[in-house]
Amino acid sequence: MDILSVIGIALAFVAILGGNFLEGGHIGSLLQLTAFLIVAGGTAGAILVQTPIDTFFRSLRMAFWIFLPPKIQGQAAIEKIVSWSNIARKEGLLGLETLAESEPDLFARKGLQLLVDGSEPEAIRNILEVELGTKEHQDTQAAKVFEGMGGYSPTIGIIGAVMGLIHVMENLADPSKLGAGIAVAFVATIYGVGLANLFFLPIANKLKSVVHVQTQFREMMVEGVVSIAEGENPRNIETKLQGYLSG
Amino acid sequence: MDILSVIGIALAFVAILGGNFLEGGHIGSLLQLTAFLIVAGGTAGAILVQTPIDTFFRSLRMAFWIFLPPKIQGQAAIEKIVSWSNIARKEGLLGLETLAESEPDLFARKGLQLLVDGSEPEAIRNILEVELGTKEHQDTQAAKVFEGMGGYSPTIGIIGAVMGLIHVMENLADPSKLGAGIAVAFVATIYGVGLANLFFLPIANKLKSVVHVQTQFREMMVEGVVSIAEGENPRNIETKLQGYLSG
Amino acid sequence: MDILSVIGIALAFVAILGGNFLEGGHIGSLLQLTAFLIVAGGTAGAILVQTPIDTFFRSLRMAFWIFLPPKIQGQAAIEKIVSWSNIARKEGLLGLETLAESEPDLFARKGLQLLVDGSEPEAIRNILEVELGTKEHQDTQAAKVFEGMGGYSPTIGIIGAVMGLIHVMENLADPSKLGAGIAVAFVATIYGVGLANLFFLPIANKLKSVVHVQTQFREMMVEGVVSIAEGENPRNIETKLQGYLSG
Amino acid sequence: MDILSVIGIALAFVAILGGNFLEGGHIGSLLQLTAFLIVAGGTAGAILVQTPIDTFFRSLRMAFWIFLPPKIQGQAAIEKIVSWSNIARKEGLLGLETLAESEPDLFARKGLQLLVDGSEPEAIRNILEVELGTKEHQDTQAAKVFEGMGGYSPTIGIIGAVMGLIHVMENLADPSKLGAGIAVAFVATIYGVGLANLFFLPIANKLKSVVHVQTQFREMMVEGVVSIAEGENPRNIETKLQGYLSG
Amino acid sequence: MDILSVIGIALAFVAILGGNFLEGGHIGSLLQLTAFLIVAGGTAGAILVQTPIDTFFRSLRMAFWIFLPPKIQGQAAIEKIVSWSNIARKEGLLGLETLAESEPDLFARKGLQLLVDGSEPEAIRNILEVELGTKEHQDTQAAKVFEGMGGYSPTIGIIGAVMGLIHVMENLADPSKLGAGIAVAFVATIYGVGLANLFFLPIANKLKSVVHVQTQFREMMVEGVVSIAEGENPRNIETKLQGYLSG
């Protein structure tokens, strides 16, 4: 559970709506269906044109990470790799075969399988790094879907605002119709800027951080598996991998 | 058929025009020939000055990819490469000669031809990577033509808006002429921002994604052909190439 | 004590408030609770959503560096490394064992420990560079928390300004209520732009400079420890490390 | 003759002036000496402060490339390199001596001279790549002079606009003087944004494309000359160099 | 003497003030102490918070380079390096000892000293490149102080403008006090944008060009010294180093 995400969203709402209240404004002035239709629909349209379909669905799945990020347990993983290295020393690489079959993490399992197959260290590194790079690229692209929405929504907000002003200009003679145009103009601006800066961009950046942590974790896994293939001693492997967690 | 592109463009239109309708505006207020002439003509002029002629025609051809992206079948390609590798093992590299002649994909055919010629693995990699890099650069430049239009159209929209305001100022004494200037000013802004954010930029980004997928596909092809030249066993080749598709 | 930070913040306050005074303005016009709530609360909310919890607390600790940056004594460190190198020449690498245990800097201690263990120079470099890279990434991310706030606060200021203008529009008929809306609109803009440009962005950049100096210092340490492992002579080590301080 | 540059500039003029005409504006409203003096003079001043004198004169020479880009004949160059490679095979590298003396392209001549001198392939590559890198950097800097002007002119346009508004404010009581200020304000904005987006930025980008093509061409030349030095067979050289042209 | 810097600054002043004069404005309208205090003081405050003290004083020293850039004589340096290489060939590397002691340029002297000490070519390259990298980083950071001021001054100008508008709003009822607020608002905008675009950013870019030329010069020096250490013949050294000057 990512507690900062919860606090952050709550705090932003309290600040904006509380500010509106203190100023003596009605919450109703900030709820405007037409403005929402223009900004949300236009932003969604732009992002759908921009995004390949795989990336789009991946970004929907990744959105949950804002509240429930994948658990990454670096320390436990180091212990696991060191235990593999001990087994490899005592029983040979073939001793890892049963572990490989029961390993839940698919990336680690691929590494173990390559060890059991007796692949060369450099070959193992190349194969795992291609996979790591592919995953990192795809996850980063999915995180950038939110970045893209954060780029489009303020400009679509401007379109909504100018459309509202056109409406105002056309009805200058009939003051009773002015209100609708002005409301759409201002509220579309708030929706566009607010969605971008309170949701889309912070979400994109949080997701990028999660992707970076995952990639670091997988790089540590690669380094560990390759070190086992090179027959390095378990203590050195532990020292090396600790560097990925320190700070 | 890229279904997201179709939905995205439809959704953007529905949202903007629906918003205009709900607000009580006439669609006619958003249709303004003068504003369109300034924004579309100015943007086209700027992009023509900016773009080399080869890149310009390439970008026109690539525009169709928005709806009909080139089919890239990674899994089938891996199977094909593995079958080549089996043939090379059994019959020697010369066994690939007839396949090379009938291979439809020009890039793959060049790779096969290099194998049949018995080139060194490093030489094959260099030759194919030069070609891959050239193609990637040219396709990326063509995708950036749309990015360029997305950069120019909002600023040309501003020029149109200010020209409209000049017209307004010159006719302050004659209110009947005010309308034209104000309409051009506002509608030019909408055209500039809208074309950029609902069309040009999303299109440029979709095209860049397609180019990236193609480049990844060709890198997988290079890796496969070089592995065959190095005499690696078919099972390892498959394991390695799967990394390009996983995620 | 970073004297420039103190002078800079004092100078900015004097300039802004002095300018307000010279113009004949009251300081009260710049104090506006509602605007502060919106800008500070919204910015804090956005940054909490964006930032992983480790990075967030790290950035709070690093904020003190603005006034009290960590002391980095390059010349003293070079002398220490040269003395290690002399000991290693005379007594062998094991002669560094007692020094390793009493070394206060954890990064240097890890380097000494690796020397005492008789690790290969390339292995030492790899292990220390992984740790150096991890630290640099984490510190840079923490510095970027302030950069993020500097990006969000002006846009949240715009939200506050537009909310103020909505309030103005709703009370056009009752001039006595206009003041509150206009004040919030203008002051929210000042808070957003001012917090970003007088605090958040300068702080982020100062912290990035400190992180860079620390990283350079650690790279010098790595170079020195690896040179000792390679058995280079102390005079050459000193010449090489001086390059990190010159300029 | 770069036909797209001619069409582009003509199209931009037709669109902007045609739009002005359709709207019922006079071309005279867009001609404003004071605004031109401020925007052109201020932009020129800024760019002169920014640019080293060599780069400045180089950018003036390169400006002609917009209409008359240097002719780059990749296919002819490949044939020439292949013929050199045949001569080198038959007569030895000394057989290239007379060709070296008559080669018009200075870069190619340097490559031939290095071949005749019997330099090592790696040495030839290093020497030619230093020269290639120097040329590319200098040409890119010269192209960026136009990019710089495209960055300054809109902001100088804003200075002109605000100066016009000051004039308006000072003469609010005397409406006959309002016109001049407002005209300068609006026209300075159009000049600033228009010069940047219709001239400076598109020109900078076209020049960058030309520089890239030249650099690619020289890289192909380096690859060819180095391959001759390595004694590769002419057919392989041709296959490799074709990769630079394909796409 | 950098004549373009002088012409550029003079031209910018003439254009802006001449434009103001042609328009019928008084120079007095552009002189506004309060606006200057806010913009200059706020920008100075922000940059002091941002900049480490070493970098700050370095940037003050480097500011003189705008008019008096350091003399860099590439052709003379190549001749000097070739003469060193001749001496090294005839008298051995020890023959360079007296030259090393009398060499005025500290970087070249360090290179000569390393040659006389008989260091390995790779060691010489590493040592000199660390020093070159440190110098380049520090000089670039100092140039970026002006870039930073160019980033802050327009936003501080906006703060000044909004403070002026607050003053205007508070005195709507007393028109005699309106002038001061409006003047501060407009003039602060001009000061902010003008200082950035006519001084800070062009100065930063000129300084970056000077730093680049110095770095190129030092890279040429490193290449020359390393080539002497490798015992390359003087004619080849000259050919190689000329590549750094060509273009």
Side-chain angles (χ1 to χ4, degrees):
Chain A
M1 183 68 180
D2 187 329
I3 194 72
L4 287 196
S5 295
V6 179
I7 298 176
I9 288 177
L11 181 54
F13 265 99
V14 168
I16 303 291
L17 299 182
N20 190 50
F21 176 79
L22 284 183
E23 215 179 324
H26 310 287
I27 197 167
S29 342
L30 298 181
L31 296 177
Q32 225 291 332
L33 186 67
T34 308
F36 184 77
L37 178 65
I38 294 170
V39 175
T43 303
I47 207 69
L48 286 176
V49 174
Q50 164 165 322
T51 312
I53 198 159
D54 294 351
T55 307
F56 182 69
F57 285 114
R58 182 180 285 260
S59 77
L60 294 184
R61 286 195 305 273
M62 276 171 61
F64 293 100
W65 290 2
I66 298 303
F67 298 111
L68 290 171
K71 284 219 178 67
I72 305 242
Q73 296 176 308
Q75 201 56 51
I78 291 179
E79 281 161 29
K80 203 162 66 173
I81 294 170
V82 169
S83 81
W84 294 345
S85 132
N86 277 315
I87 292 169
R89 289 222 139 189
K90 283 178 212 140
E91 312 174 23
L93 290 166
L94 283 174
L96 296 166
E97 193 152 24
T98 46
L99 282 167
E101 281 154 16
S102 62
E103 170 63 36
D105 179 66
L106 288 182
F107 189 74
R109 188 193 293 182
K110 189 162 191 176
L112 280 171
Q113 199 57 57
L114 287 163
L115 281 175
V116 172
D117 291 354
S119 310
E120 293 294 306
E122 263 326 282
I124 296 179
R125 184 185 293 279
N126 288 343
I127 288 172
L128 292 178
E129 281 185 349
V130 164
E131 183 151 345
L132 183 154
T134 304
K135 275 187 204 295
E136 184 184 15
H137 177 79
Q138 290 173 341
D139 285 348
T140 304
Q141 290 307 104
K144 283 190 178 168
V145 169
F146 294 95
E147 196 173 280
M149 290 198 280
Y152 292 127
S153 78
T155 52
I156 310 283
I158 289 173
I159 294 178
V162 178
M163 279 168 59
L165 294 178
I166 290 176
H167 197 68
V168 170
M169 287 297 158
E170 283 172 342
N171 295 289
L172 279 179
D174 177 359
S176 71
K177 288 185 176 167
L178 287 185
I182 292 176
V184 170
F186 284 145
V187 176
T189 305
I190 291 181
Y191 285 179
V193 175
L195 282 173
N197 288 281
L198 299 174
F199 294 93
F200 297 144
L201 296 176
I203 285 174
N205 286 322
K206 173 87 65 138
L207 291 181
K208 279 191 206 168
S209 290
V210 175
V211 171
H212 180 83
V213 168
Q214 281 190 319
T215 303
Q216 279 296 99
F217 179 81
R218 289 201 190 105
E219 274 176 13
M220 186 184 83
M221 194 67 81
V222 174
E223 199 61 44
V225 168
V226 170
S227 299
I228 294 175
E230 285 169 339
E232 229 174 281
N233 81 60
R235 196 176 145 222
N236 283 2
I237 294 179
E238 185 169 2
T239 307
K240 191 190 287 183
L241 300 191
Q242 289 294 354
Y244 286 97
L245 304 184
S246 75
Chain B
M1 183 68 181
D2 187 330
I3 193 72
L4 287 196
S5 295
V6 180
I7 297 176
I9 289 177
L11 181 55
F13 265 99
V14 167
I16 303 291
L17 299 183
N20 191 50
F21 176 79
L22 284 183
E23 214 179 324
H26 310 287
I27 197 166
S29 342
L30 298 181
L31 296 177
Q32 224 290 332
L33 186 67
T34 307
F36 183 77
L37 177 65
I38 294 170
V39 175
T43 302
I47 207 70
L48 286 176
V49 173
Q50 164 165 320
T51 312
I53 197 159
D54 295 349
T55 307
F56 181 69
F57 285 114
R58 183 181 286 261
S59 78
L60 294 184
R61 285 195 306 273
M62 276 171 61
F64 293 101
W65 289 2
I66 297 303
F67 298 111
L68 290 171
K71 285 218 179 68
I72 304 242
Q73 296 176 310
Q75 201 56 52
I78 292 180
E79 281 161 29
K80 203 161 67 173
I81 293 169
V82 169
S83 79
W84 295 345
S85 132
N86 278 315
I87 292 169
R89 289 223 139 189
K90 283 179 211 140
E91 312 174 23
L93 291 165
L94 283 174
L96 296 166
E97 193 152 23
T98 46
L99 282 167
E101 280 153 15
S102 61
E103 170 64 35
D105 178 66
L106 288 181
F107 189 74
R109 188 192 292 181
K110 189 163 191 175
L112 281 171
Q113 199 57 56
L114 287 163
L115 283 174
V116 172
D117 291 355
S119 311
E120 292 294 306
E122 264 326 281
I124 296 179
R125 185 186 293 280
N126 287 344
I127 289 172
L128 292 178
E129 281 185 349
V130 164
E131 182 151 345
L132 183 154
T134 305
K135 274 187 205 295
E136 185 184 14
H137 177 79
Q138 290 173 340
D139 285 347
T140 304
Q141 289 307 103
K144 283 190 177 167
V145 169
F146 294 95
E147 196 173 280
M149 290 197 280
Y152 291 127
S153 77
T155 52
I156 311 282
I158 290 174
I159 294 178
V162 178
M163 278 169 59
L165 294 178
I166 290 176
H167 197 68
V168 170
M169 287 297 157
E170 283 172 343
N171 296 290
L172 277 179
D174 177 359
S176 71
K177 288 185 177 168
L178 287 185
I182 292 176
V184 170
F186 284 145
V187 176
T189 305
I190 291 181
Y191 284 179
V193 175
L195 283 173
N197 288 282
L198 299 174
F199 294 93
F200 297 143
L201 296 176
I203 286 174
N205 286 322
K206 173 85 65 135
L207 292 181
K208 280 191 205 168
S209 291
V210 175
V211 171
H212 181 82
V213 168
Q214 281 190 319
T215 302
Q216 279 297 97
F217 179 81
R218 290 201 189 106
E219 274 176 14
M220 187 184 82
M221 194 67 81
V222 174
E223 200 60 44
V225 168
V226 170
S227 299
I228 294 175
E230 285 169 339
E232 229 173 281
N233 80 60
R235 195 175 147 223
N236 283 3
I237 294 179
E238 185 168 3
T239 307
K240 191 190 288 183
L241 300 190
Q242 289 294 353
Y244 286 96
L245 304 185
S246 75
Chain C
M1 183 68 180
D2 186 329
I3 193 72
L4 287 196
S5 295
V6 180
I7 297 176
I9 288 176
L11 181 55
F13 264 99
V14 168
I16 303 292
L17 299 182
N20 189 51
F21 176 80
L22 284 183
E23 216 179 324
H26 309 288
I27 197 167
S29 342
L30 298 181
L31 297 177
Q32 225 291 332
L33 186 67
T34 307
F36 183 78
L37 177 65
I38 294 170
V39 175
T43 302
I47 208 68
L48 286 176
V49 174
Q50 163 165 320
T51 312
I53 198 158
D54 295 350
T55 307
F56 182 69
F57 285 114
R58 182 181 286 260
S59 78
L60 294 184
R61 286 195 306 272
M62 274 172 63
F64 293 101
W65 289 1
I66 297 303
F67 298 112
L68 290 171
K71 284 220 178 67
I72 304 241
Q73 296 176 309
Q75 201 55 52
I78 292 179
E79 281 161 27
K80 203 162 67 173
I81 294 170
V82 169
S83 80
W84 294 344
S85 132
N86 277 314
I87 292 169
R89 289 223 138 188
K90 284 180 209 137
E91 312 175 22
L93 290 165
L94 283 175
L96 297 166
E97 193 151 24
T98 46
L99 282 167
E101 281 154 14
S102 62
E103 170 63 36
D105 178 66
L106 288 182
F107 189 74
R109 189 193 291 183
K110 189 163 192 176
L112 281 171
Q113 198 58 55
L114 287 163
L115 282 175
V116 172
D117 290 355
S119 311
E120 292 295 305
E122 264 325 281
I124 297 179
R125 185 185 293 279
N126 288 343
I127 289 172
L128 292 179
E129 281 185 349
V130 164
E131 183 152 344
L132 182 155
T134 304
K135 275 187 204 295
E136 184 184 14
H137 177 79
Q138 290 173 341
D139 285 348
T140 304
Q141 290 307 104
K144 283 190 177 168
V145 169
F146 294 95
E147 196 174 280
M149 290 198 280
Y152 291 126
S153 77
T155 52
I156 311 283
I158 289 173
I159 294 177
V162 178
M163 279 169 60
L165 294 179
I166 290 176
H167 197 69
V168 170
M169 288 298 158
E170 283 172 341
N171 295 290
L172 278 179
D174 178 357
S176 71
K177 289 184 177 169
L178 287 185
I182 292 176
V184 170
F186 284 144
V187 176
T189 305
I190 290 180
Y191 284 179
V193 175
L195 282 172
N197 288 281
L198 299 174
F199 294 93
F200 297 144
L201 296 176
I203 285 174
N205 287 321
K206 172 88 64 143
L207 291 180
K208 280 192 206 167
S209 290
V210 174
V211 171
H212 180 84
V213 168
Q214 281 190 320
T215 303
Q216 278 295 98
F217 180 81
R218 289 201 190 105
E219 273 176 14
M220 186 184 83
M221 194 67 81
V222 174
E223 200 61 44
V225 168
V226 170
S227 298
I228 294 174
E230 285 169 339
E232 228 174 282
N233 81 60
R235 194 173 148 225
N236 283 2
I237 295 179
E238 185 169 4
T239 306
K240 192 190 287 183
L241 300 191
Q242 289 295 354
Y244 286 97
L245 304 185
S246 75
Chain D
M1 184 69 181
D2 187 329
I3 194 73
L4 286 196
S5 296
V6 179
I7 297 176
I9 289 177
L11 181 55
F13 265 99
V14 167
I16 303 292
L17 300 183
N20 190 51
F21 176 79
L22 284 183
E23 215 179 322
H26 309 287
I27 197 167
S29 340
L30 298 181
L31 297 178
Q32 225 291 332
L33 186 67
T34 307
F36 183 78
L37 177 65
I38 293 170
V39 175
T43 302
I47 208 70
L48 286 176
V49 173
Q50 164 165 320
T51 312
I53 197 158
D54 295 349
T55 307
F56 181 70
F57 285 114
R58 183 181 286 261
S59 77
L60 294 184
R61 285 195 306 272
M62 274 171 62
F64 294 101
W65 289 3
I66 297 303
F67 298 112
L68 290 170
K71 285 219 179 67
I72 304 239
Q73 296 175 310
Q75 201 55 53
I78 292 181
E79 281 161 28
K80 202 161 68 174
I81 294 170
V82 169
S83 80
W84 294 345
S85 133
N86 277 315
I87 291 170
R89 289 224 139 189
K90 283 178 210 138
E91 312 175 22
L93 290 166
L94 283 175
L96 296 167
E97 193 151 24
T98 45
L99 283 168
E101 281 153 16
S102 62
E103 170 63 35
D105 179 66
L106 289 181
F107 189 74
R109 189 193 292 181
K110 190 163 190 176
L112 280 171
Q113 198 57 56
L114 288 163
L115 281 175
V116 172
D117 290 355
S119 311
E120 292 295 305
E122 264 325 282
I124 296 179
R125 186 187 291 280
N126 288 344
I127 288 172
L128 292 179
E129 282 186 349
V130 164
E131 182 151 344
L132 183 155
T134 305
K135 276 186 204 295
E136 185 185 14
H137 177 79
Q138 290 174 341
D139 285 347
T140 304
Q141 289 307 102
K144 283 189 178 168
V145 169
F146 294 96
E147 195 173 281
M149 291 198 279
Y152 292 126
S153 76
T155 51
I156 310 283
I158 290 174
I159 294 178
V162 178
M163 278 169 60
L165 294 178
I166 291 176
H167 197 69
V168 170
M169 288 296 159
E170 283 172 343
N171 295 289
L172 277 179
D174 177 358
S176 71
K177 287 184 178 169
L178 287 184
I182 292 177
V184 170
F186 284 145
V187 175
T189 305
I190 290 181
Y191 284 179
V193 176
L195 282 172
N197 288 282
L198 300 175
F199 295 94
F200 297 144
L201 296 176
I203 285 173
N205 286 322
K206 173 86 68 140
L207 291 180
K208 280 191 205 167
S209 291
V210 175
V211 171
H212 181 82
V213 168
Q214 281 190 319
T215 303
Q216 278 296 98
F217 180 81
R218 289 200 189 107
E219 273 176 14
M220 187 184 82
M221 194 67 81
V222 174
E223 200 60 44
V225 168
V226 170
S227 299
I228 294 174
E230 285 170 339
E232 228 173 282
N233 80 59
R235 195 175 147 223
N236 283 4
I237 294 179
E238 184 168 4
T239 306
K240 190 190 289 182
L241 300 191
Q242 288 295 352
Y244 285 97
L245 304 185
S246 75
Chain E
M1 184 68 183
D2 187 329
I3 193 72
L4 287 197
S5 295
V6 180
I7 297 176
I9 289 177
L11 181 55
F13 265 99
V14 168
I16 303 292
L17 299 183
N20 189 51
F21 176 79
L22 285 183
E23 216 179 323
H26 309 287
I27 198 166
S29 341
L30 298 181
L31 297 178
Q32 225 291 333
L33 187 67
T34 307
F36 183 78
L37 176 66
I38 294 170
V39 175
T43 302
I47 208 69
L48 286 176
V49 173
Q50 163 165 319
T51 312
I53 198 159
D54 296 350
T55 307
F56 182 69
F57 285 115
R58 182 180 286 259
S59 77
L60 294 185
R61 284 195 307 272
M62 274 172 62
F64 293 102
W65 289 2
I66 297 303
F67 297 113
L68 291 170
K71 285 218 178 68
I72 304 239
Q73 297 176 309
Q75 201 55 52
I78 292 180
E79 281 161 27
K80 203 161 68 173
I81 294 170
V82 170
S83 79
W84 294 345
S85 132
N86 277 315
I87 292 169
R89 288 223 139 188
K90 284 179 209 138
E91 312 175 21
L93 290 166
L94 283 175
L96 296 167
E97 193 152 24
T98 45
L99 283 168
E101 281 154 16
S102 62
E103 169 63 36
D105 179 66
L106 289 182
F107 189 75
R109 190 193 291 183
K110 190 164 191 175
L112 280 170
Q113 198 58 55
L114 287 163
L115 281 176
V116 172
D117 290 356
S119 311
E120 292 295 305
E122 264 325 281
I124 296 179
R125 184 185 295 279
N126 288 344
I127 289 172
L128 292 179
E129 282 186 349
V130 164
E131 182 152 344
L132 183 155
T134 305
K135 276 187 204 294
E136 184 184 14
H137 178 79
Q138 291 173 341
D139 286 348
T140 303
Q141 290 306 104
K144 283 189 178 169
V145 169
F146 294 95
E147 196 173 280
M149 290 198 279
Y152 291 126
S153 77
T155 52
I156 310 284
I158 289 173
I159 295 178
V162 178
M163 280 169 59
L165 294 178
I166 291 176
H167 198 70
V168 170
M169 287 296 158
E170 283 172 342
N171 295 290
L172 277 179
D174 178 357
S176 71
K177 288 184 177 169
L178 287 184
I182 292 177
V184 170
F186 284 145
V187 175
T189 305
I190 290 181
Y191 284 179
V193 175
L195 283 173
N197 288 282
L198 300 175
F199 294 93
F200 296 144
L201 296 177
I203 286 173
N205 286 322
K206 173 86 68 147
L207 292 180
K208 280 191 205 167
S209 290
V210 174
V211 171
H212 180 83
V213 167
Q214 282 190 319
T215 303
Q216 278 296 97
F217 179 81
R218 289 200 190 107
E219 273 176 15
M220 186 184 84
M221 194 67 81
V222 174
E223 200 60 45
V225 168
V226 169
S227 298
I228 294 174
E230 285 169 340
E232 228 174 283
N233 81 59
R235 195 175 146 221
N236 283 3
I237 295 179
E238 184 169 3
T239 306
K240 191 191 288 183
L241 301 191
Q242 289 295 352
Y244 285 97
L245 305 184
S246 75

